[in-house]
Amino acid sequence: MNKDTLVVLWTSGDLEVAKNMVYMYTLNSKKKGWWENINFIIWGPSSKLLIDTPELQEKIKEFIREGIKVEACKACADNYGIADNLEKLGVEVKYMGQPLTDYIKEGYGVLSL
């Protein structure tokens, strides 16, 4: 079991959810040591919201500076035509079906929003 690793699966295209829950909890979890390791996955509509919102882009850069691993679903990014934009932010863009399955099977805590 990976009891000290959290995987945040961000799928919502809602800006209020992003600012007032997803980003707030993820960053505080790392800064306050609630979780030792955090993997942040951008999937679906959240990827488009991120590219359309400079404020969220700055938060992603902060996540990376704080040591949060940031990944994005390549299939979704390709559907929106934004894979290059995500990579420029420092996001690792790859097919996420198998990695997410592995995280779940390996016992990581998964928070899906």
Side-chain angles (χ1 to χ4, degrees):
M1 291 289 262
N2 292 289
K3 292 186 179 197
D4 209 21
T5 298
L6 173 66
V7 176
V8 177
L9 176 60
W10 177 39
T11 63
S12 173
D14 184 304
L15 181 59
E16 291 301 311
V17 170
K19 287 174 26 177
N20 293 306
M21 196 298 162
V22 178
Y23 279 62
M24 187 183 305
Y25 181 76
T26 302
L27 192 55
N28 282 326
S29 291
K30 186 64 176 176
K31 285 185 170 185
K32 296 177 187 255
W34 299 337
W35 295 91
E36 184 176 331
N37 305 300
I38 300 174
N39 294 3
F40 188 81
I41 302 172
I42 304 160
W43 196 313
S46 62
S47 60
K48 185 168 181 342
L49 178 64
L50 173 60
I51 293 307
D52 291 342
T53 313
E55 176 185 359
L56 297 181
Q57 293 173 24
E58 290 306 312
K59 287 291 186 187
I60 285 295
K61 291 175 186 175
E62 185 176 2
F63 282 9
I64 294 167
R65 285 192 304 272
E66 290 291 331
I68 296 169
K69 181 178 180 180
V70 181
E71 304 168 295
C73 172
K74 179 167 175 36
C76 300
D78 287 346
N79 287 342
Y80 290 116
I82 58 172
D84 289 344
N85 302 70
L86 290 168
E87 288 174 345
K88 287 177 187 171
L89 291 173
V91 175
E92 183 181 351
V93 179
K94 62 185 182 182
Y95 294 107
M96 289 303 304
Q98 187 64 56
L100 178 60
T101 300
D102 293 343
Y103 292 149
I104 294 167
K105 286 184 173 184
E106 292 170 13
Y108 290 83
V110 177
L111 177 63
S112 179
L113 305 146

